[in-house]
Amino acid sequence: MAALGIAMGGGNWFSALVLGVTLLKCLLIPTYHSTDFEVHRNWLAITHSLPISQWYYEATSEWTLDYPPFFAWFEYALSHVAKHFDQEMLNVHNLNYASAKTLLFQRFSVIFTDALFVYAVHECCKCIDGKKAGKELTEKPKFILSVLLLWNFGLLIVDHIHFQYNGFLFGLMLLSIARLLQKRHMEGAFLFAVLLHFKHIYLYVAPAYGIYLLRSYCFTANKPDGSVRWNSFSFVRLISLGLIVFLVSALSLGPFLALNQLPQVFSRLFPFKRGLCHAYWAPNFWALYNALDKVLSVIGVKWKLLDPNKIPKGAMTSGLVQQFQHTVLPSVTPLATLICTLIAILPSVFCLWFKPQGSRGFLRCLILCALSSFMFGWHVHEKAILLAVLPMSLLSVGKAEDASIFLILTTTGHYSLFPLLFTAPELPIKILLMLLFTIYSISSLKTLFRKEKPLFNWMETFYLLGLGPLEVFCEFVFPFTSWKLTYSFIPLFLTSVYCAVGITYAWFKLYVSVLTDPPAGKTKKQ
Amino acid sequence: MEKWYLMTTVVLIGLTVRWTVSLNSYSGAGKPPMFGDYEAQRHWQEITFNLPIKQWYFNSSDNDLLYWGLDYPPLTAYHSLLCAYVAKFINPDWIALHTSRGYESQAHKLFMRTTVLIADLLVYIPAVVLYCCCLKEMSTKKKIANALCILLYPGLILIDYGHFQYNSVSLGFALWGVLGVSYDWDLLGSLAFCLAINYKQMELYHSLPFFCFLLGKCFKKGLKGKGFVLLIKLACTVVASFILCWLPFFTEREQTLQVLRRLFPVDRGLFEDKVANVWCSFSVFLKIKDILPHHMQIMISFCFTFLSLLPACIKLILQPSPKAFKFTLVTCALSFFLFSFQVHEKSILLVSLPVCLVLSEIPFMSTWFLLVSTFSMLPLLLKDELLMPSVVTMVAFFIACATSFSIFEKTSEEELQLKSFSISVRKYLPYFTFLPRIIQHLFLISIIMMVLLTLMTVTLDPPQKLPDLFSVLVCFVSCLNFLFFLVYFNIIIMWDSKRRRSQKKIS
């Protein structure tokens, strides 16, 4: 009884938050799940029933294994639990198999592996030096941060409705960030290396890790003006870091190297055959670019500058077209996006090198890397915005300026996830959860920074409020208009363009703030 | 209120939980020929929309009363009619006469669930929020925590959004009534309560405390002066609101009588199904239903009910106060549930509502009661395939209560409001100091029993000779708990003013 009392009461708010969100996840079990559910079931079947040499060759289902080896091993481990639920789901030829037990198992596997995420959030909360602690629990930065991370709208709908395993992957990432913040660099590097071999999308933020470790760990001292002291370089540290990364990679890729399958693995991991934009347009620079192209072509046809017969038919009428053909503006090649991404990342990395600002500088560089690759990357998923949103939560409770950027980024980024859930029963859930998260994040951060200048100017407020009418138009007005059949792409188009504006703005604002921040030596000693 | 955003968050959490539960199955899904309460509600829309008002409650070739005939008061019928108009707008097949029987589709389920959510959002949730905001002697944070717990009460969510009913409407109106009467808006309060009764006749369980409390107020003001005026005003309000609701049925005597016959089906027996009241639970030992003649059963159940609620009601007339009113609501509803004639397992919600209202005053006992009340509906919930949402919402509710009120630290005599009772017992038994400990142990035993029984019901097959073994056990255990709570709440009411007096003496 007493133990129960201590566990439950006694102001142990963290476990209450965790239990609450876990129960919510359990309630989400019967909701809609996307094809990703079948993707992961197929991977369970592949890893369970085939030898390793077949894993990256198997192509019975169209959802071939395209994650790095650690994730395949993860599925392999899961499959040994899965066989106690329903043997049938482990059959490679059982396409689109989704019995009640399969559903239960897959959903619970996500919920259970989220334990790692919970632990990572716990560690992150320990090492953030948020604004001075308020008196009330609900005004403590740690409490706010825990809610922002644990109850993150994006993670909830992507993992527990749409179906993916981002929870524990982000857990690994947050944990490695926490370790770096705690000055346990080796552990952080190790965790990040492991993470990269779980899901290679995290390569986007690898530059930040690399430069930070090199600058702040391999170089052990700074000159008084904050620039690097070249003779303080520690070879031992560099070599041990290199060793860690090498060993992890060897463990992951070694077996495939031995089987002489590396080219096949890489061709699965980096499928450049896919289109510039994902099925739904991720709200990034290319969405704006495509929109501009579309507008120009419409204007061109109207003013007789273009020949209507030359315009590719149906290029954008539905959101499901993989290859997008530009009509006016030049088409974009993968190489071009790669160059754009690198150019966008470079300044932030330079900043991290020349003006290292300790952990905050690292975090901001990491977010800029994630955001820049989201802005300019090839075939970006709208889900990738979480890569910037989650680390940004850590910053948001520290400074009012960051909080403002965080709120714009998060609200628009989360809103851009709406098209993921298009079924009617999930409509109230996504709206309610979005409102829940948005109202909470905005109000709590406003309360936290109430003594400083307002978080939003009138333009930002106007923009964020505009999301409401946009949602009403897309979900409640548009389906009842006569355009529904001929211009079915309009809601997706509007959503991604509107959100692209907000995310570009947040990216730009964060960049400006990073570049104009005074160097470390003057403001903060670290 | 400076913490409005937290209150909004709490309401949104409540709504999210409600909607996620509603994604699950409903009663009688895909079970012809009778289906369940979901089909009943749909059928009422069909009847009210297609038939003239005079035929709603009468058996005819178009209205087979044996197939979910309308047996709720007129407001429910009007509500069905309103929903039917919306249904007609979306898809006329849903309410087509005869042909729509047993209509089931994903879109229709969505529509029905939405009607429940809207009704809840309009009636029950605002009442809960307002009630919590009006609580006195409490920090804002506590008020919000209280609202969270009430909104997360699993019983109501599971029955309304899982099983399918519109309890939140009648309970919501009753809550508006409680609010009005407690804050001296007597006329509005009684109007709201009349609406509640006219929505669901089961609200009569609450009527005696309302009557006694208002009567007590009138007495207090002096029956010769202001009190008498108030009494007349109240009577007029009640009569007027009833007439308004029943207007179409007052045109002929036969109409009124037929509606009343439908509302109080005395020939349906002492109890149906498995319900955690005294008659059903103890029928294992003594089959009253078979031994005694029908009218004797009615007499006995009436006497028991009357006797068990009498003390609290008299006390309320003599010393009317909002606090005593809430506790009397609990005991009266509980007495009706335990002893009265023709009780449904879902009627426990009528007891749960007032218990939710005293959650902040006796958090430990209220949480316990609310858990037992949800547990007592387990057989019903299992039949509707709602195991998962039931377990999840019960655990969530428990955690919410435990963290918001730290209930395990509130088990002293003082916190259980048993101080004055213990003091008076100690006059005769000086060693009577173990009450809180006994209650703690009882709590543990009760929780363990509930968990074990749930596990057994879910995992084991009952022996062939006793197919109802587990549901009977569930009812029996719940009934024992309820009897204990009846005694407990009566003790609180009876020793209430003595406690206050003794406190005054000390101070």
Side-chain angles (χ1 to χ4, degrees), chain A residues 9-45:
Chain A
N12 198 346
W13 48 268
F14 189 80
S15 44
L17 280 180
V18 172
L19 283 171
V21 79
T22 308
L23 292 170
L24 180 63
K25 289 168 188 172
C26 293
L27 281 179
L28 291 176
I29 287 177
T31 52
Y32 148 88
H33 51 82
S34 72
T35 46
D36 276 333
F37 181 84
E38 168 63 10
V39 171
H40 287 97
R41 188 211 56 78
N42 185 41
W43 294 357
L44 276 179

Side-chain angles (χ1 to χ4, degrees), chain A residues 131-132 139 141 144 397 443-450:
Chain A
K131 220 173 138 283
K132 83 281 169 239
E139 289 177 21
I144 296 175
V397 291
S443 319
S444 61
L445 287 176
K446 267 192 174 167
T447 320
L448 188 63
F449 297 110
R450 60 175 168 259

Side-chain angles (χ1 to χ4, degrees), chain A residues 294-346:
Chain A
K294 182 79 186 163
V295 171
L296 285 180
S297 73
V298 170
I299 293 175
V301 170
K302 212 164 207 177
W303 290 356
K304 308 252 163 48
L305 297 174
L306 286 172
D307 182 6
N309 299 325
K310 281 186 188 164
I311 293 176
K313 280 275 180 287
M316 273 171 44
T317 43
S318 84
L320 297 168
V321 177
Q322 292 274 315
Q323 293 286 349
F324 181 85
Q325 286 165 294
H326 293 92
T327 46
V328 184
L329 299 174
S331 276
V332 185
T333 59
L335 188 66
T337 62
L338 189 66
I339 293 171
C340 285
T341 314
L342 285 181
I343 293 175
I345 286 178
L346 269 184

Side-chain angles (χ1 to χ4, degrees), chain A residues 120-262:
Chain A
V121 173
H122 188 249
E123 290 298 298
C124 283
C125 285
K126 272 204 289 195
C127 60
I128 55 134
D129 49 343
K131 220 173 138 283
K132 83 281 169 239
K135 275 160 275 163
E136 274 209 62
L137 171 66
T138 47
E139 289 177 21
K140 279 189 180 148
K142 286 184 183 187
F143 180 84
I144 296 175
L145 178 63
S146 319
V147 179
L148 291 184
L149 288 173
L150 290 172
W151 286 71
N152 183 280
F153 167 78
L155 264 189
L156 275 180
I157 72 160
V158 172
D159 273 17
H160 300 278
I161 300 181
H162 178 83
F163 197 84
Q164 272 192 351
Y165 287 95
N166 291 299
F168 87 96
L169 296 172
F170 276 113
L172 271 176
M173 180 167 118
L174 288 181
L175 196 59
S176 82
I177 292 176
R179 290 298 178 242
L180 290 188
L181 302 191
Q182 291 163 348
K183 305 276 172 243
R184 290 154 73 173
H185 295 93
M186 298 294 269
E187 264 179 81
F190 170 74
L191 287 170
F192 186 69
V194 171
L195 175 64
L196 277 184
H197 288 280
F198 265 107
K199 193 172 177 179
H200 49 301
I201 195 178
Y202 294 94
L203 270 177
Y204 285 152
V205 295
Y209 271 89
I211 299 296
Y212 178 70
L213 284 173
L214 192 64
R215 178 68 176 81
S216 303
Y217 181 64
C218 294
F219 287 98
T220 49
N222 282 343
K223 285 183 188 162
D225 65 343
S227 62
V228 64
R229 191 190 288 277
W230 292 98
N231 57 6
S232 70
F233 187 71
S234 158
F235 255 110
V236 182
R237 290 188 169 187
L238 182 69
I239 288 174
S240 41
L241 277 180
L243 205 62
I244 283 180
V245 175
F246 174 77
L247 283 179
V248 171
S249 308
L251 192 66
S252 157
L253 298 172
F256 298 95
L257 188 68
L259 289 166
N260 214 1
Q261 290 184 347
L262 265 194

